[in-house]
Amino acid sequence: MDFAFTKEQLMFKKEIIRFAKKEIVPRVQEYDLKEAFDFESFRKLGDFGILGLHFPEEYGGSGADVVTTVMAGEALGEAGVDGGLTLAYGAHSFLCADTILRHASEEQRKKYLPKLISGEWIGCMGLTEPDAGSDVASMKTIAEKKGDKYVLNGSKIFITNGPIADVSVVYAKTDPSQRHAGISAFIVEKGTKGFAAGAPLIKMGVRTSQTSELFFNNCEIPAENLLGKEGEGFNMSLQTVEWDRSALLAPFVGAARYMLSSCADYARKREQFGRPIGKFQAVKHKLANIRIFAEAAQSLAYKIAWCKDQGRPLNHLEAAVAKLFVGDWSMVPANDAMVVFGGYGFCHEYNMERIFRDSRLAPIGGGTSDIQKMIISKLI
Amino acid sequence: MNYDFSEKEFNLFIDIQEKVSRVAESVQLDRKDPKRSRENIKQVLEQLAQTPYLQLGLQPVEGYQGQLSLMGAAEVLAAVSPSAYLSVEASTRLFGRAVNEWGDNSQKAKWLSPLLEGQLIGALALSEETLNIENDPLTTKGDRQGESVVINGAKQYVINAPIADWIAVAGFCDDAYALFLIEKETPGLTVEPAIETLGYEGTPISRIHLDNCSIPAEQIIFPPAKAEMPQTLRMWENQMLLGASLGLSKTAFESARDHAKTHRSGGKPIIAYQEVGFKLADMLTLFQTSQLLAYRTAWTAETNPKEAGELLLCAKVFCAESAETVCSEALKILGGNGYIIGNNAERAYRCAKYVQIAGTSTEIGRVKIGDAALGYRD
Ligand SMILES: Cc1cc2nc3c(=O)[nH]c(=O)nc-3n(C[C@H](O)[C@H](O)[C@H](O)COP(=O)(O)OP(=O)(O)OC[C@H]3O[C@@H](n4cnc5c(N)ncnc54)[C@H](O)[C@@H]3O)c2cc1C
Ligand SMILES: Cc1cc2nc3c(=O)[nH]c(=O)nc-3n(C[C@H](O)[C@H](O)[C@H](O)COP(=O)(O)OP(=O)(O)OC[C@H]3O[C@@H](n4cnc5c(N)ncnc54)[C@H](O)[C@@H]3O)c2cc1C
C-alpha cells in the first residue's frame, strides 16, 4: 500500500486552489443569492483545463489520470467554490461528456468534446423521471425507431444543467417490455424540435446549478445519435457511477477542509466571555469533528479513483460504501461549522449556511443513501 | 499510490489467523483465568514468533511495510482474540518498542531478543493515580544510591503486570524522563491481582506499587529529551488501540452478517429485511472507512512519522467510536443469541468501551485535534 500523491499532483492542487480563490470564490455569494448559473466561472474552469482534465489531448483535454481529476474536485471545494458549480461541472464533464467520450462515434466526439471541454457548450445527463427515481428501470420515456430517426416521448426531472445545456445525454426505453435491458442512451441537442427544458427548480441548496425538467414531445433525432447499441444504456449509466463515487464526492471532502480553516480563523478571532471562542472545548470538539470527517472521507474517494486508474472494474460494494459515508456523514461537519459561527453561521455572508444547504444533496443525488444500503446489503 | 496489500502481506494475515485460531480452539484466550493466563499468552507468542509479526514496526522485515503491514495483521489478530492481541501488543509494541527505540545494545540483547522469540512477556507502566498524563506530571521517581537506583511510586491499569517477566516503569530519574526495567519478584515491587474488567477479561491488568524498589543502573533506559517520552508512549498506545478497534469491528460485523444470512424469520433470512440489511450496510461502511483511515495513518507513521500525530488522533477517535457502534448494532441483529455470554459480538461490545477510554481518550483526542486546527499548542 502507498497513499502518497505525486509532487506534481500536490502542486497542481495548490494551483487550482489559488486559481479558484482568485477567480471564482469572490463571485460565489452573489450567484448563490441570485440562484443563477455563473457562466463566466464555468468558462474559467474550462480555460484552466479543469472541465477536460481526464480527456485525451486530441479533444482539448489534458489526459490526466483519475486521481488527479478527483483531486481537482477536492481542491475546488477546499478553495470555497460552492456545491452548485462543482455539481454543474460534475454533471457536465463526467455524466455527459465522459459518456460521449466512451460511447459516441469518432465524428460525434470531434463534434461535441472540444466545445464541452472548453466550456463553450454545456452538457447534461437525463436519467431520472418524475415516476422513476431510485427505480430507474421503470422509466417511461420511450425512443421509437422510425426509419433513420428515433422519436422520443416522455419527460425527465431534476436534471442538472437542464435549462442551460447545449448537449444532453438522455436515457430512454427502446424496448418498453424490458426493464434495465430495454434502456438506450441518446445525444439530444438544444433546439431540437419537440425538445424543451422546464424552468429552473427552486432548490434548498446547490443553487447556482440550474436544475429542471426535460420534455420530449415527438422529438425527432437522427438514428446515429444513439450511443452504442440499443439496450446498452443502463450499463453506460453505471459507468458514470465510478465518477459519481469519486470525482463528485471529492468536493464534499474539500468543503470540509474549507469549513475547518474558516471555523479555525473565526474561532481564533471571535471573543465571548473575555476570550476567543476557540479556547472553549465545545468549539474545539466541533473543529475536530470536521477534520475527522475530511480524513475519513478522503481515502474512500481516492481509492475508487485509484482502482479506476488501474483499469479495474468498479467494485460496487466499495463504491456504495464511499457514497453512503460521504452522503450521510457530510451533514455532521456542515452542521458543526454553522454552530461554531453562532448567529453569523445562519447568515449568508459567512458561507457556512450555504455549505450546510449544499451538503444536503450528498445523501440524495446520484442514488440515495437507502439505495446504497440496498446495494451493500445485497452484496455482503 | 497503491491501495492493495501485497500477496506476501495477505499470506501473513492468513497465517496469523490460522495459527492463533488453533490456540483459541484449545484454550480460552478471552476468559479470566489467572492460573492459566500466562501460559495462554505464551502459547500465542510462540505461534506468532514463527511469523514476522512480532518484528513488524520494530525491525525492518524484507517484503513488509513496518507499521502498515502491522496494522493489517493486528486487525486479524485482534478479531480472533481481543485479549490475546492486547497482551501481545503491550508486550511487543509498548515494552519492546521502548527497548528497541531507546535501549542500548546490551539492553536490546537482554530484553528484545527473547521478546521477539516469544520467550519473554513485557509490560509498560505509565498511568498513575490521576490516570491522565495530559493534566498531571508523573510522580514515580528513581533516586541513585551508589550503583543502584531506588524507585518509589504506584501505577494503575498495567496490562500484563500479573504475567510479565519484566515491567518497564515510566518515571523520572536525574530530572529526566526514564524507564525503569524491573524484573518480576524484585523486592519492593508489588503486583496486585488482576482487576475485574468489563471486557478484555483474558488480558491480566493490575496495579503495581514500588516501595524502595532497588534495581541496578543498567536497568534504566533514558529516552532522549526530544523523544517526549509520555507523549510518544501514548502515541504507541494509540496505534495499538487502532488495531484493536479494527479487530472489534471486524469480528462483530462478521458475526452479525453471518447470522443475518443464515437465521430465518417469516420464511426468509433476516438480512432480507431492510431493518437488518441496512444496519449491516451502515456497519460495513463504518468498518471499511475505519480500515482505510487506519491504514493511511499507519502508512504515514511508517513513511513520515512527523506528519502522523494529528492523523493518528483523528483515526483513534473515529475507529474507536465506530467500533462501539458496530458492536452495538451487531448485538441487535444477533437478537437473543447475541445476549448470551461467550459469542464474539457481545465480547467485542464489552471490549469496545476500552478503546475509547484508553490511550488518548476520545475527549482529549478531540480537544487536541481542535487545538491543532486552531494553531494552539496546549
Ligand atoms: C439537485 C439535484 C440534482 C440532480 N441531478 C440529476 C441529473 O443531473 N440527472 C439525473 O438523471 N438525475 C438527477 N437528480 C436526481 C437524483 O438522482 C434522484 O433525485 C435520486 O436518485 C432519488 O430519486 P427520487 O428523487 O425520485 O426519489 P425516490 O426514488 O422517489 O425516493 C424517495 C425516498 O424513498 C426512498 N426509497 C426509494 N426506493 C427505496 C427502496 N427500495 N428501499 C428503501 N428506500 C427507498 C429513497 O431513499 C428516498 O428517501 C438530481 C437530484 C437533485 C435533487
Ligand atoms: C435568525 C436569528 C434571529 C435572531 N434574533 C435575535 C433577536 O431578535 N434579538 C437578539 O438580541 N438576538 C437575536 N439573535 C442572536 C442570537 O441570540 C445569537 O446568535 C445567539 O445568542 C448566539 O450568539 P452569537 O451568534 O454571538 O454566537 P457566539 O456567542 O459567538 O458563539 C459562537 C460559538 O461559540 C460557542 N461558545 C461561546 N461561549 C462558549 C463557552 N463559554 N463555552 C463553550 N462554547 C462557547 C457557542 O456555543 C457557539 O458554538 C438572532 C439570531 C439569529 C440567527
Side-chain angles (χ1 to χ4, degrees), chain A residues 94-114:
Chain A
F94 305 115
L95 307 186
C96 173
D98 187 73
T99 308
I100 292 176
L101 172 72
R102 280 167 176 252
H103 305 291
S105 67
E106 184 53 31
E107 204 180 317
Q108 287 165 325
R109 285 188 213 164
K110 283 201 175 113
K111 177 174 176 192
Y112 297 113
L113 290 181

Side-chain angles (χ1 to χ4, degrees), chain A residues 1-5 264 268 278 284-285 288-289 291 295 299 302 306 312 324 329 370 373 377 380, chain B residues 1-4 65 68 261 277-278 282 285-286 288-289 295-296 299 310-311 314 366 371 373-374 376:
Chain A
M1 271 192 184
D2 176 2
F3 294 86
F5 296 104
R268 272 191 300 263
K284 294 178 193 184
H285 182 105
N289 283 347
R291 169 92 192 261
E295 300 299 352
S299 300
Y302 284 109
W306 177 78
R312 292 186 191 171
L324 182 57
W329 283 69
D370 290 325
K373 291 181 196 180
S377 65
I380 54 181
Chain B
M1 211 175 239
N2 183 352
Y3 276 84
D4 292 334
Q65 291 189 77
L68 179 57
K261 286 166 90 164
F278 283 22
D282 279 329
T285 297
L286 287 178
Q288 289 198 346
T289 307
Y295 300 158
R296 183 156 68 90
W299 172 81
E310 291 165 28
L311 193 59
C314 290
R366 278 205 171 81
D371 278 338
L374 288 155
Y376 295 163

Side-chain angles (χ1 to χ4, degrees), chain B residues 131-146:
Chain B
L131 253 194
N132 189 338
I133 59 157
E134 300 301 334
N135 300 327
D136 303 288
L138 295 174
T139 58
T140 300
K141 206 164 162 287
D143 295 307
R144 291 198 187 261
Q145 285 187 5

Side-chain angles (χ1 to χ4, degrees), chain A residues 87 91 95 124-136 156-162 169 171 201 203 205-206 209-211 361 363-372 374 378, chain B residues 274 278:
Chain A
L87 176 67
L95 307 186
C124 74
M125 184 280 290
L127 180 68
T128 307
E129 299 188 358
D131 293 326
S134 302
D135 179 16
V136 286
K156 299 284 167 186
I157 194 163
F158 302 131
I159 307 309
T160 302
N161 297 341
V169 169
Y171 293 89
L201 298 166
K203 308 190 298 301
V206 293
S209 70
Q210 304 295 290
T211 318
L361 181 64
I364 304 173
T368 67
S369 291
D370 290 325
I371 298 308
Q372 307 317 311
M374 198 167 84
K378 282 193 178 142
Chain B
Q274 289 190 344
F278 283 22

Side-chain angles (χ1 to χ4, degrees), chain A residues 270 272-273 277 280 282-283 339-340 342-344 346:
Chain A
R270 172 73 178 172
Q272 291 292 291
F273 299 96
I277 59 166
F280 297 116
V283 172
V339 174
V340 168
Y344 303 99
F346 205 64

